[in-house]
C-alpha cells in the first residue's frame, strides 16, 4: 500500500514557506491507518523494547496503537506544564526561541529500553530532545519510529550521528 497517497500536503501552513504534511487524511482512511500501525508493529518486533514513548501530540496517535498491540506500557513525553506529577524536563531549540518537553520521573528507569514514536521528523530538534529526556531517566533509547521523514532536512542524520537507530515508513521532501 502506498501510504504517501494518504498524506495531504498544504503549502504555507502554519506559516509562509512551510510545506505542511497533514496526517489527518491518513487517519481518516481506515485501511491506510491500519496498514501504518501494522508496519510500525513489524518494525518494532525487531527492536528489543520494554516501553513505547510518544512525542506530543501527533506521536500519541501512533504510539498508543502500537503500545496496545505490543502489550507494552505507553509513556507520554509532553509539553511543559501538562504532567501533574514530578517531572524531568529537556529544553530544545525551535526555529524561533526555545521549547521544553517533560516526562514523569516515575515513568522510566534504568531497566527500560524505549522506542520513541512521532508522526514526522524534520530538523530533529524535538526527537533529539526526546532522546535526551529518556537518557536523563537512565533508560536506553532502542530506536525511533516515524511515519514521515522529511529526508532533505537534517533530522535523521542528526539522530544517527548521536548513535540512534531510526525507522520511517515514508519519505517526503521538506519543501
Ligand atoms: P523537528 O523538531 O523540526 O524535527 O519537527 C518535528 C515536529 O514538528 C513533529 O512533531 C512534527 O509533527 C512537526 N512538523 C515539523 N515540520 C512539519 C511539516 N512540514 N509538516 C507537518 N508537521 C511538521
Amino acid at each position: 500500500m502506498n501510504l504517501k497517497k494518504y498524506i495531504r500536503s498544504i503549502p504555507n501552513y502554519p506559516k509562509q514557506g512551510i510545506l505542511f504534511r497533514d496526517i489527518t487524511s491518513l487517519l481518516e482512511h481506515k485501511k491506510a491507518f491500519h496498514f501504518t500501525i501494522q508496519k510500525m508493529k513489524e518494525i518494532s518486533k525487531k527492536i528489543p523494547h520494554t516501553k513505547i514513548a510518544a512525542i506530543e501530540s501527533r506521536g500519541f496517535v501512533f504510539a498508543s496503537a502500537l503500545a496496545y498491540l505490543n502489550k507494552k506500557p505507553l509513556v507520554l513525553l509532553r509539553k511543559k506544564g501538562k504532567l501533574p506529577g514530578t517531572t524531568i524536563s529537556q529544553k530544545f531549540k525551535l526555529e524561533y526561541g526555545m521549547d521544553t518537553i517533560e516526562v514523569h520521573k516515575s515513568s522510566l528507569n534504568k531497566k527500560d529500553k524505549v522506542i520513541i514514536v512521532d508522526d514526522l521528523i524534520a530538523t530533529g530538534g524535538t526527537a533529539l530532545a526526546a532522546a535526551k529526556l529518556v537518557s536523563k531517566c537512565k533508560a536506553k533509547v532502542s530506536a525511533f519510529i516515524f511515519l514521515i521523514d522529511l529526508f532533505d532536512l537534517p533530522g535523521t542524520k542528526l539522530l544517527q550521528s548521536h548513535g540512534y537507530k531510526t525507522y520511517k515508513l515514508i519519505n517526503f521532501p521538506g519543501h
Side-chain angles (χ1 to χ4, degrees):
M1 186 171 204
N2 179 12
L3 289 178
K4 289 175 89 162
K5 278 200 314 202
Y6 301 99
I7 302 294
R8 184 166 43 184
S9 296
I10 300 169
N12 302 316
Y13 180 88
K15 57 185 181 200
Q16 198 66 26
I18 303 282
L19 181 52
F20 191 81
R21 305 296 184 175
D22 179 26
I23 59 157
T24 63
S25 38
L26 179 142
L27 298 176
E28 288 169 13
H29 193 281
K30 63 184 178 186
K31 285 186 180 162
F33 184 36
H34 186 264
F35 187 81
T36 299
I37 299 302
Q38 286 303 123
K39 281 281 156 198
M40 288 188 173
K41 184 182 162 196
E42 271 173 37
I43 292 166
S44 71
K45 287 295 170 201
K46 294 181 277 181
I47 307 165
H49 64 286
T50 61
K51 292 179 181 167
I52 310 274
I55 298 178
E56 186 165 358
S57 56
R58 278 167 274 157
F60 291 1
V61 175
F62 302 99
S64 63
L66 189 58
Y68 176 84
L69 282 182
N70 287 0
K71 299 190 173 69
K72 300 288 186 200
L74 175 67
V75 175
L76 302 186
L77 311 180
R78 299 216 59 182
K79 287 170 183 154
K80 192 180 169 65
K82 299 281 187 182
L83 292 170
T86 305
T87 56
I88 296 184
S89 56
Q90 178 65 47
K91 281 198 177 136
F92 63 102
K93 256 195 220 157
L94 291 175
E95 202 177 346
Y96 304 103
M98 300 290 288
D99 209 346
T100 303
I101 52 168
E102 297 183 331
V103 67
H104 273 143
K105 203 173 171 196
S106 56
S107 297
L108 295 168
N109 63 60
K110 62 175 193 272
K111 291 185 187 149
D112 285 318
K113 300 184 196 100
V114 182
I115 296 178
I116 302 175
V117 177
D118 204 358
D119 66 325
L120 179 148
I121 180 151
T123 66
T126 314
L128 189 60
K132 286 183 179 164
L133 194 57
V134 168
S135 302
K136 274 186 179 174
C137 300
K138 313 250 187 308
K140 180 180 177 287
V141 177
S142 295
F144 285 89
I145 303 177
F146 302 100
L147 170 58
I148 300 168
D149 180 9
L150 301 185
F151 64 86
D152 51 357
L153 298 184
T156 299
K157 284 197 185 75
L158 178 72
L159 294 180
Q160 288 168 353
S161 74
H162 282 78
Y164 297 116
K165 284 201 185 85
T166 66
Y167 298 88
K168 55 0 191 13
L169 303 192
I170 47 183
N171 289 307
F172 274 114
H175 301 283

